[in-house]
Amino acid sequence: MNVLIFGPNGSGKGTQGSLLKKKFNLAHIESGAIFREHIKNGTELGKKAKEYIDKGELVPDEITIPMVLETLKKQGKDGWLLDGFPRNIEQAKKLWEALQEEGMKLDLVVEIKLDRETAKKRIMGRRICENDPNHPNNIYIDAIKPIGDRCRICGGVLKIRSDDQDEAAINKRHDIYYDTKTGTLAAAYYFKKLAEEGKTKYIEVDGSRDIETIKQELLSKIEAALK
Ligand code: AP5
């Protein structure tokens, strides 16, 4: 199964994505995580990407598009979940073209809906477990509050993502997301239109509820869509 997941930064697309990845055994391809790996390893691509990420801007398409499409071809042969890409209308068109060229199907597109204020609070409270970035920890959310300064799941050391505490950068990321003309929602609606033409399926979920409730709704909507 090949899936695209959309949601504003902080909506929980990484959280739900990692649950879907486990359930359906998908390669979880996250553009942001690929950039962070490059930054950690000090590569040229990482150095360039960091300049944009720290400001809350998109890394230019000429860097991002080939990087993601290449990863998709290499790692996505047995099913993938693409998270964080496409983020604008240009990336959406290029992705759709590449899928046609490769003869890859897009089974499903998921949109997690969430208001800006809630999303911002979730980002600022997010803490990343050094052992597993998919262990949910957030200092502002009781249900997933860390235990002291340690991961609530494994006791691992927690870190703060460098782009998570700058409010201006978060606002910029959200401006890009909620832009329905050329931004990320425009990309999501591009696929919604393809779904209306019968070329894929489009599922929407309300991301304001707790992680488990969203997961259950997502799974039942996926089951219904793929019937
Ligand atoms: P990226 O890595 O995609 O970061 P992001 O934009 O901040 O989005 P996240 O994926 O981190 O947020 P999320 O929605 O997954 O939230 P999470 O599940 O963690 O991108 C980073 C940067 O890379 C971009 O800004 C850009 O510069 C660049 N980039 C990436 N892709 C690009 C592209 N295609 N083109 C150009 N540039 C690109 O959840 C957030 C918090 O809430 C966590 O603490 C979590 O535990 C908690 N939480 C989750 N769900 C719930 C819930 N239901 N209830 C309560 N708490 C919850």
Side-chain angles (χ1 to χ4, degrees):
M1 181 164 75
N2 298 334
V3 185
L4 273 189
I5 189 162
F6 287 98
N9 325 113
S11 61
K13 65 188 153 52
T15 304
Q16 295 301 331
S18 83
L19 299 171
L20 291 183
K21 162 196 160 171
K22 276 193 204 126
K23 170 91 186 160
F24 297 104
N25 198 19
L26 305 172
H28 190 181
I29 300 171
E30 288 184 73
S31 44
I34 303 173
F35 286 132
R36 282 188 287 282
E37 193 59 27
H38 276 280
I39 293 170
K40 201 169 104 191
N41 295 332
T43 67
E44 275 312 306
L45 192 154
K47 281 179 203 152
K48 263 191 212 141
K50 192 172 186 317
E51 287 172 33
Y52 297 92
I53 291 176
D54 284 348
K55 287 186 274 183
E57 290 169 7
L58 290 185
V59 179
D61 283 352
E62 55 272 26
I63 299 176
T64 309
I65 295 173
M67 180 190 83
V68 174
L69 295 182
E70 209 41 49
T71 311
L72 197 60
K73 280 184 218 162
K74 272 195 207 141
Q75 297 178 13
K77 293 204 167 53
D78 300 318
W80 44 261
L81 176 94
L82 195 48
D83 169 355
F85 185 95
R87 257 180 154 94
N88 61 30
I89 192 72
E90 190 53 29
Q91 292 182 3
K93 289 178 181 165
K94 286 281 188 308
L95 173 65
W96 185 246
E97 268 170 38
L99 294 179
Q100 306 308 297
E101 278 166 21
E102 294 295 315
M104 271 188 191
K105 206 173 159 222
L106 177 60
D107 298 281
L108 209 62
V109 180
V110 173
E111 182 194 342
I112 302 181
K113 292 175 169 290
L114 191 66
D115 65 277
R116 276 177 93 126
E117 275 315 303
T118 312
K120 190 196 284 186
K121 197 169 159 200
R122 286 199 193 153
I123 292 178
M124 297 193 84
R126 170 166 57 188
R127 296 295 178 267
I128 312 289
C129 172
E130 262 186 6
N131 296 334
D132 184 342
N134 293 316
H135 286 167
N137 285 278
N138 196 298
I139 59 165
Y140 296 138
I141 298 164
D142 284 342
I144 53 171
K145 219 173 224 166
I147 299 169
D149 58 358
R150 294 283 178 151
C151 172
R152 48 183 268 281
I153 294 178
C154 69
V157 172
L158 294 175
K159 290 183 305 188
I160 297 176
R161 233 171 78 175
S162 66
D163 55 343
D164 274 357
Q165 300 302 307
D166 178 343
E167 207 169 337
I170 294 170
N171 286 338
K172 218 184 263 177
R173 275 146 79 190
H174 281 150
D175 285 346
I176 296 168
Y177 184 82
Y178 291 102
D179 174 356
T180 54
K181 291 212 163 66
T182 57
T184 313
L185 272 183
Y189 297 163
Y190 174 85
F191 289 99
K192 197 173 187 177
K193 188 156 178 291
L194 289 174
E196 285 159 11
E197 294 166 8
K199 292 175 180 156
T200 185
K201 303 273 177 159
Y202 197 92
I203 289 175
E204 294 170 63
V205 285
D206 168 6
S208 67
R209 294 140 326 140
D210 63 275
I211 295 172
E212 188 55 31
T213 307
I214 299 169
K215 179 187 157 196
Q216 291 312 330
E217 184 184 322
L218 202 48
L219 291 178
S220 71
K221 285 192 169 174
I222 290 176
E223 202 181 312
L226 296 180
K227 250 184 203 158

